[in-house]
């Protein structure tokens, strides 16, 4: 398989209330082995997946939020988060955990994986894909 | 390069249709399926929001789902066109990608 | 054209597995190829052979098995999603020390890589879910 | 079991897209054998369950809407439908199927089972129950 | 006080079965009675003994079986909902001519009448669903 | 005679919380659980609608669900009180009936 396609994983659901966020992340991790051009989109309630300081001890469900910080090791470095979705929920970028990757094309400099984009930019990103997987 | 968006949830319960409308680009199409077909009801509280966003976007309905729910033709927004399952397939083929607003 | 299909919700509870079925039938009738249907999330529940719907209801699993048999569709059930939800084939049941299995004919259990591969190898990918 | 409790079945979901409406009706039918004081509430998307002329032939799913017309035979005669929920959806009472029962206390006169109520009245009905089952 | 419980969604997919479990544990710890938990809709999927969640995840079915065993809770799986979704005990499997069954220890299959009866016989009824 | 209402869905996706608020009566309580806890976020697009309807209704949050979702205390509406699972049980007992807005 030499063809490289643009894959977008669209995350629009909150974590823990339903399993979609976790099972989306499982696809992303497996998909990383296929050397495609991968982006993740977080909009609507999907932005809640990235909040800091998630602590699931009381509800007895596995806290998978640290896994997002490992995505850089899998060369998954484009996490687009919609600014309007954050604002509608009373959130801003500072409420999200920091996720970085080391840029091999720039002497392994550490760079942020989360890119805050406007709704219009998100629409453009969506329109630029070959495959859109929705969760 | 255009996208077929599908929405399968009632807009009175769920925000998917409105979010979809805000992320469409000119030339895109929206196909309402399953409980999504309620999004094409005339005179509802979401009808204006739907129509305002349809300038450069075509709206389709899946006929089987419309009939199942007892929605009469005269209740449907004039902008919406009804297709059957084979028309659904054509829409998928005609657009470069399909995005499901789940 | 090659069309890949994802089914993300369980049978009867959500309409997704029905809509996907009618869509695939129409796509095949129009001469398109549907090489694979990938069952993920609660979609894995479609694959149980133990379902006994009322006589006057459609039998969703049997419909899929028949359609796949007729047209050579690869019905793949995600192993990770299936394990959580209690869907096992004979191999998996033995490996996990379980005394029964419940996957129907025509379905096979495999990994998420099959979903990505489908995305790469098809011209369109359509997801039916909730 | 001599105690009679007030049971309310709350229907807030549309038919066919999900199974809740059908499985709610199955509870109502079984529950009718228990001689309790039964009411059904239809609000939000639940009002869509009662539309006329449902035809599920194309989607291949069983049309259960005729079953509502049989409820009178099971002594289930109070179907409360919220006026505001109808209006928000561009519907009115004339879009709903006619459902009647024969009133044994009134010489078996045929009477409508559907009672259109305001949102405030619906809140009062909900507050007057012993058991609320939500679908 | 006697509290009846309804669980309407499947394990892992929705949080309902988890929230119900923590609620019931707390209710029992406070001295209340939970005579019965009724599993309806996709809630019937909680009862499968074939589930194999990842090692670092809670085992929802086993948690319920253990709690019920300890406190004598009647875990009832709705037969109509279970048949559609492929959940069978040994009797049902034989009656339906199926070659396997998948209900876990501590759960029993019965009719919707058990839900109504629970509503009549308890002081409160709490539904966990989606 | 009062009711405990529980809401388990995000108000940004689903209409259950707003519908619940419109059907509460004085003396009732609302407990937000699971994804419902997002309904108590300060400064959100639904915060005003929530507060306007809380005159005679008490608002509670399930603490485990709040912490799971990483919602800091200072992000939560001042009208909301956090309870744990045992407090949930008490609320069910204190009210005459529980209505789940699924």
């Amino acid at each position: 398989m030499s063809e490289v396609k643009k894959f977008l994983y669209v995350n629009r659901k909150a974590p823990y209330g339903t399993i979609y966020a976790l099972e989306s992340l499982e696809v992303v991790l497996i998909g990383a082995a296929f050397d495609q051009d991968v982006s993740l989109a977080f909009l609507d309630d999907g932005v809640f997946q990235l909040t800091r300081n998630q602590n699931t001890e009381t509800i007895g469900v596995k806290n998978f939020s640290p896994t997002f910080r490992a995505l850089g090791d899998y060369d998954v470095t484009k996490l687009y988060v919609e600014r309007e979705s954050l604002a509608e929920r009373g959130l801003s970028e500072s409420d999200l955990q920091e996720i970085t990757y080391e840029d091999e094309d720039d002497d392994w400099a550490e760079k942020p994986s989360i890119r805050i984009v406007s709704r219009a930019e998100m629409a453009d990103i969506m329109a630029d894909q070959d495959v859109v997987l929705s969760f | 390069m255009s996208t077929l968006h599908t929405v399968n949830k009632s807009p009175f319960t769920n925000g998917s249709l409105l979010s979809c409308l805000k992320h469409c680009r000119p030339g895109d199409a929206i196909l309402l399926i399953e409980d999504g077909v309620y999004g094409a009801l005339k005179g509802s509280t979401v009808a204006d929001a739907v129509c305002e966003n349809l300038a450069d976007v075509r709206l389709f309905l899946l006929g089987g789902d419309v009939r199942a729910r007892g929605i009469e033709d005269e209740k449907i927004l004039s902008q919406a066109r009804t297709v059957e399952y084979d028309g659904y397939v054509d829409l998928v083929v005609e657009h470069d990608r399909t995005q499901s607003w789940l | 054209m090659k069309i890949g299909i994802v089914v993300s919700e369980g049978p009867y509870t959500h309409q997704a597995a029905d809509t996907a079925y009618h869509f695939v039938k129409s796509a095949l009738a129009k001469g398109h190829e549907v090489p694979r249907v990938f069952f993920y999330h609660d979609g894995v529940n479609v694959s149980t052979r133990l379902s006994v719907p009322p006589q006057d209801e459609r039998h969703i699993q049997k419909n899929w098995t028949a359609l796949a048999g007729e047209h050579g569709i690869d019905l793949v059930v995600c192993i990770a999603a299936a394990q959580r939800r209690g869907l096992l084939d004979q191999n998996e049941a033995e490996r996990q020390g379980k005394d029964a299995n419940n996957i129907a004919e025509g379905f096979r259990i495999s990994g998420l890589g099959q979903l990505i591969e489908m995305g790469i190898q098809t011209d369109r990918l359509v997801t039916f879910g909730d």
Side-chain angles (χ1 to χ4, degrees), chain A, chain B, chain C:
Chain A
M1 289 174 289
S2 59
E3 190 191 359
V4 170
K5 282 193 172 182
K6 291 186 179 177
F7 272 71
L8 180 69
Y9 298 90
V10 176
N11 296 285
R12 295 182 51 248
K13 291 175 186 160
Y16 307 118
T18 55
I19 203 173
Y20 303 102
L22 167 63
E23 290 191 331
S24 168
L25 198 49
E26 291 184 348
V27 181
V28 172
L29 293 172
I30 299 288
F34 284 76
D35 292 325
Q36 304 294 305
D37 182 358
V38 171
S39 302
L40 274 59
F42 296 88
L43 63 154
D44 297 339
D45 281 345
V47 302
F48 286 131
Q49 295 180 25
L50 299 174
T51 55
R52 291 175 188 274
N53 300 326
Q54 296 180 15
N55 178 347
T56 58
E57 201 179 311
T58 307
I59 64 169
V61 173
K62 189 183 158 191
N63 177 0
F64 58 90
S65 67
T67 309
F68 287 112
R69 296 200 293 272
L71 288 177
D73 302 337
Y74 292 81
D75 289 326
V76 175
T77 61
K78 291 179 284 188
L79 277 63
Y80 297 101
V81 177
E82 189 176 280
R83 183 176 294 115
E84 288 86 343
S85 294
L86 287 171
E88 287 161 6
R89 287 158 184 78
L91 300 179
S92 63
E93 187 172 1
S94 62
D95 296 307
L96 307 184
Q97 57 174 335
E98 279 168 51
I99 303 175
T100 60
Y101 71 101
E102 295 178 339
D103 187 350
E104 59 177 320
D105 298 331
D106 189 9
D107 199 22
W108 304 101
E110 193 166 326
K111 297 185 176 178
S113 297
I114 291 184
R115 302 158 195 217
I116 309 289
V117 297
S118 70
R119 187 159 278 156
E121 289 170 320
M122 186 62 91
D124 290 344
I125 291 162
M126 289 172 168
D128 189 39
Q129 306 296 322
D130 295 307
V131 179
V132 179
L133 283 162
S134 304
F135 296 95
Chain B
M1 296 291 282
S2 64
T3 302
L4 172 66
H5 303 267
T6 62
V7 176
N8 73 336
K9 294 207 182 58
S10 164
F12 306 105
T13 291
N14 184 284
S16 286
L17 176 57
L18 291 181
S19 186
C20 170
L21 285 162
K22 290 182 200 152
H23 292 89
C24 281
R25 305 201 331 160
D28 285 358
I30 300 175
L31 172 62
L32 304 179
I33 66 170
E34 301 171 357
D35 289 346
V37 295
Y38 296 121
L41 277 172
K42 242 186 229 171
S44 83
T45 49
V46 300
D48 284 351
V50 172
C51 293
E52 279 165 21
N53 286 283
L54 286 181
D56 306 304
V57 174
R58 289 177 304 158
L59 183 66
F60 296 91
L61 296 177
L62 196 50
D65 284 318
V66 172
R67 293 186 293 276
R69 289 158 183 81
I71 306 175
E72 313 284 327
D73 287 348
E74 76 261 20
K75 289 263 170 200
I76 297 175
L77 293 173
S78 59
Q79 292 93 330
R81 251 184 57 201
T82 300
V83 296
E84 302 301 329
Y85 290 113
D86 59 346
Y88 186 172
V89 174
D90 291 340
L91 285 170
V92 166
V93 170
E94 286 162 20
H95 294 83
D96 300 285
R97 70 194 71 72
T98 299
Q99 180 165 353
S100 302
W101 290 78
L102 303 180
Chain C
M1 202 170 250
K2 281 188 192 169
I3 306 177
I5 304 289
V6 181
V7 175
S8 297
E9 294 297 331
Y12 305 103
T13 304
H14 293 88
Q15 207 188 331
D18 292 294
T19 306
Y21 174 75
H22 294 298
F23 179 90
V24 170
K25 265 182 80 163
S26 284
L28 294 166
K30 292 181 84 78
H32 298 294
E33 284 175 69
V34 179
R36 180 175 293 160
V37 178
F38 192 86
F39 293 87
Y40 197 41
H41 305 307
D42 269 2
V44 301
N45 291 321
V46 172
S47 70
T48 178
R49 69 170 184 277
L50 303 184
S51 168
V52 189
Q55 298 286 350
D56 56 348
E57 286 255 24
R58 77 279 188 206
H59 197 305
I60 295 177
Q61 171 264 312
K62 287 192 177 166
N63 284 349
W64 277 107
T65 295
L67 192 67
E70 228 172 286
H71 297 274
I73 307 169
D74 186 19
L75 303 182
V76 179
V77 177
C78 170
I79 186 164
Q83 283 177 338
R84 277 195 186 93
R85 293 170 179 82
L87 280 292
L88 303 170
D89 61 13
Q90 201 181 332
N91 276 344
E92 265 297 294
E94 281 167 22
R95 209 167 66 86
Q96 304 288 352
K98 295 288 182 182
D99 62 347
N101 66 77
N102 53 355
I103 298 287
E105 192 194 324
F107 293 83
R108 73 183 176 95
I109 290 191
S110 189
L112 279 166
Q114 304 280 311
L115 168 59
I116 309 296
E117 193 188 82
M118 179 173 78
I120 295 170
Q121 295 178 348
T122 56
D123 304 299
R124 297 286 183 275
L125 190 143
V126 188
T127 302
F128 297 87
D130 182 55

